[in-house]
CSV table of all heavy atoms in Angstrom, one decimal:
chain,number,residue,atom,x,y,z
A,63,LEU,N,7.4,-17.5,62.9
A,63,LEU,CA,7.1,-18.7,62.2
A,63,LEU,C,7.6,-18.7,60.8
A,63,LEU,O,7.1,-18.1,59.9
A,63,LEU,CB,5.6,-18.9,62.2
A,63,LEU,CG,5.1,-20.2,61.6
A,63,LEU,CD1,5.5,-21.4,62.4
A,63,LEU,CD2,3.5,-20.2,61.5
A,140,TRP,N,-30.4,5.9,56.9
A,140,TRP,CA,-31.3,6.3,57.9
A,140,TRP,C,-32.6,5.5,57.8
A,140,TRP,O,-33.1,5.2,56.7
A,140,TRP,CB,-31.7,7.8,57.6
A,140,TRP,CG,-30.5,8.7,58.1
A,140,TRP,CD1,-29.4,9.0,57.4
A,140,TRP,CD2,-30.5,9.5,59.3
A,140,TRP,NE1,-28.6,9.9,58.1
A,140,TRP,CE2,-29.3,10.2,59.3
A,140,TRP,CE3,-31.4,9.7,60.4
A,140,TRP,CZ2,-28.9,11.1,60.3
A,140,TRP,CZ3,-31.0,10.5,61.4
A,140,TRP,CH2,-29.8,11.2,61.4
A,195,THR,N,-34.6,10.6,66.1
A,195,THR,CA,-34.8,12.0,66.2
A,195,THR,C,-36.2,12.3,65.6
A,195,THR,O,-36.5,12.0,64.4
A,195,THR,CB,-33.8,12.8,65.3
A,195,THR,OG1,-32.5,12.4,65.8
A,195,THR,CG2,-34.0,14.3,65.4
A,394,SER,N,45.7,-16.5,33.8
A,394,SER,CA,45.2,-17.7,33.3
A,394,SER,C,44.1,-17.6,32.2
A,394,SER,O,44.0,-18.4,31.3
A,394,SER,CB,44.7,-18.6,34.4
A,394,SER,OG,43.6,-17.9,35.1
A,640,ARG,N,18.3,26.2,-24.1
A,640,ARG,CA,18.2,27.3,-23.1
A,640,ARG,C,16.8,27.8,-23.1
A,640,ARG,O,16.5,28.8,-22.3
A,640,ARG,CB,19.2,28.4,-23.3
A,640,ARG,CG,20.7,27.9,-23.2
A,640,ARG,CD,21.7,29.0,-23.5
A,640,ARG,NE,21.5,29.7,-24.8
A,640,ARG,CZ,22.0,29.2,-25.9
A,640,ARG,NH1,22.6,28.0,-25.9
A,640,ARG,NH2,21.8,29.8,-27.1
A,708,VAL,N,-17.9,13.9,-40.9
A,708,VAL,CA,-16.7,14.6,-40.5
A,708,VAL,C,-16.2,14.0,-39.2
A,708,VAL,O,-16.9,13.9,-38.2
A,708,VAL,CB,-17.0,16.1,-40.4
A,708,VAL,CG1,-15.7,16.8,-39.9
A,708,VAL,CG2,-17.4,16.7,-41.7
A,738,ALA,N,-29.2,17.2,-37.4
A,738,ALA,CA,-28.5,17.7,-36.1
A,738,ALA,C,-27.6,16.6,-35.6
A,738,ALA,O,-26.8,16.9,-34.7
A,738,ALA,CB,-29.6,18.0,-35.1
A,827,TRP,N,-35.9,-22.4,-64.9
A,827,TRP,CA,-36.2,-23.4,-63.9
A,827,TRP,C,-36.6,-24.7,-64.6
A,827,TRP,O,-37.3,-24.6,-65.6
A,827,TRP,CB,-37.2,-22.9,-62.8
A,827,TRP,CG,-38.6,-22.6,-63.3
A,827,TRP,CD1,-39.6,-23.5,-63.2
A,827,TRP,CD2,-39.0,-21.5,-64.0
A,827,TRP,NE1,-40.7,-22.9,-63.8
A,827,TRP,CE2,-40.4,-21.6,-64.3
A,827,TRP,CE3,-38.4,-20.3,-64.4
A,827,TRP,CZ2,-41.2,-20.7,-64.9
A,827,TRP,CZ3,-39.2,-19.3,-65.0
A,827,TRP,CH2,-40.6,-19.6,-65.3
A,942,THR,N,-12.3,-42.3,-87.7
A,942,THR,CA,-11.7,-42.9,-86.5
A,942,THR,C,-10.2,-42.9,-86.7
A,942,THR,O,-9.5,-43.7,-86.1
A,942,THR,CB,-12.2,-44.3,-86.2
A,942,THR,OG1,-12.0,-45.1,-87.3
A,942,THR,CG2,-13.7,-44.2,-85.8
Side-chain angles (χ1 to χ4, degrees):
L63 181 62
W140 284 78
T195 303
S394 62
R640 296 180 303 279
V708 174
W827 66 99
T942 57

